[in-house]
């Protein structure tokens, strides 16, 4: 994934594909500051434009308090709090305690854009090795509050909270999120 300037495509391997959210959901109490993003997502009849998602997230200036009941943390792993979804999108607030990280994954056939709402995350980019079932790290960078990350389906990465404070990120995927996960290399476990 690449912050602010868009993503780059890479070939992917099918190691384990996971659909992370159920088929249908509705928004009970959408945070007011998300309305322009929600209006765009709810009108989709095809995959969203990555540049449009990025632009809408850039204008979404919200704080933890604005998300109310959507801001929940998991005890052992980060927590994915679904705000809304349809056939064409998933919108979720991800909440990370110190030390929590995602699996190494891609966004199989989806565009992904997210904004750091609070805290600082670390993204590590990976590339496939050998027969395409293993990955190795290529680069790592910090993502401070306000950082926008946008990428296409082939980017392989993980996100981690390596700080001693909370991390909150707002994610939009289109079409719906499906991901392939990859084994973590021993050297970076």
């Amino acid at each position: 994934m690449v912050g602010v300037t868009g993503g780059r495509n890479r070939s992917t391997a099918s190691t384990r594909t996971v659909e992370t959210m159920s088929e249908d959901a509705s928004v009970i109490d959408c945070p007011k500051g998300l309305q322009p993003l929600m209006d765009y997502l709810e009108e989709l009849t095809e995959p969203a434009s990555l540049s449009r998602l990025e632009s809408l997230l850039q204008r979404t200036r919200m704080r933890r308090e604005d998300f109310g009941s959507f801001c929940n943390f998991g005890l052992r792993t980060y927590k994915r709090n679904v705000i809304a979804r349809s056939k064409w999108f998933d919108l979720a607030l991800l909440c990370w305690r110190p030390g929590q990280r995602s699996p190494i994954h891609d966004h199989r056939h989806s565009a992904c854009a997210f904004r750091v709402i609070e805290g600082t995350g670390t993204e590590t980019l990976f590339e496939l090795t050998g027969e395409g079932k293993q990955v190795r790290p290529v680069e790592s960078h910090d993502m401070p509050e306000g950082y926008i990350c946008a990428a296409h389906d082939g980017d392989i990465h993980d996100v981690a909270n390596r700080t001693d404070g909370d991390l909150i990120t707002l994610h939009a995927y289109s079409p719906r999120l499906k991901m392939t996960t990859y084994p973590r290399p021993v050297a970076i476990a």
Side-chain angles (χ1 to χ4, degrees), residues 2-72:
V2 175
V4 183
T5 60
R8 57 189 175 267
N9 287 319
R10 297 183 190 167
S11 60
T12 60
S14 45
T15 53
R16 185 173 67 117
T17 301
V18 179
E19 184 161 358
T20 61
M21 299 180 188
S22 65
E23 189 58 35
D24 295 305
S26 60
V27 180
I28 296 169
D29 186 22
C30 179
K32 186 177 179 180
L34 291 181
Q35 202 57 55
L37 177 60
M38 285 300 306
D39 290 346
Y40 173 68
L41 293 172
E42 289 177 339
E43 292 175 3
L44 291 174
T45 57
E46 60 185 24
S49 156
L50 186 59
S51 62
R52 182 83 169 123
L53 288 176
E54 187 176 358
S55 173
L56 287 164
L57 284 171
Q58 187 66 37
R59 289 182 268 159
T60 303
R61 301 192 186 280
M62 298 178 70
R63 298 168 301 145
R64 173 196 291 236
E65 299 79 27
D66 299 326
F67 288 95
S69 64
F70 292 106
C71 191
N72 299 296

Side-chain angles (χ1 to χ4, degrees), residues 34 37 57 60 62 67 83 91-94 113-117 168-172:
L34 291 181
L37 177 60
L57 284 171
T60 303
M62 298 178 70
F67 288 95
I83 295 172
L91 182 65
L93 188 72
L94 278 60
F114 71 87
R115 180 184 180 106
V116 177
I117 302 296
I168 301 172
T169 54
L170 177 65
H171 296 244

Side-chain angles (χ1 to χ4, degrees), residues 72-97:
N72 299 296
F73 291 83
L75 294 175
R76 294 182 185 197
T77 64
Y78 71 99
K79 173 99 174 174
R80 184 179 301 274
N81 300 284
V82 177
I83 295 172
R85 71 170 62 106
S86 79
K87 175 182 177 181
W88 293 108
F89 75 91
D90 285 319
L91 182 65
L93 188 72
L94 278 60
C95 297
W96 319 70
R97 292 287 189 207

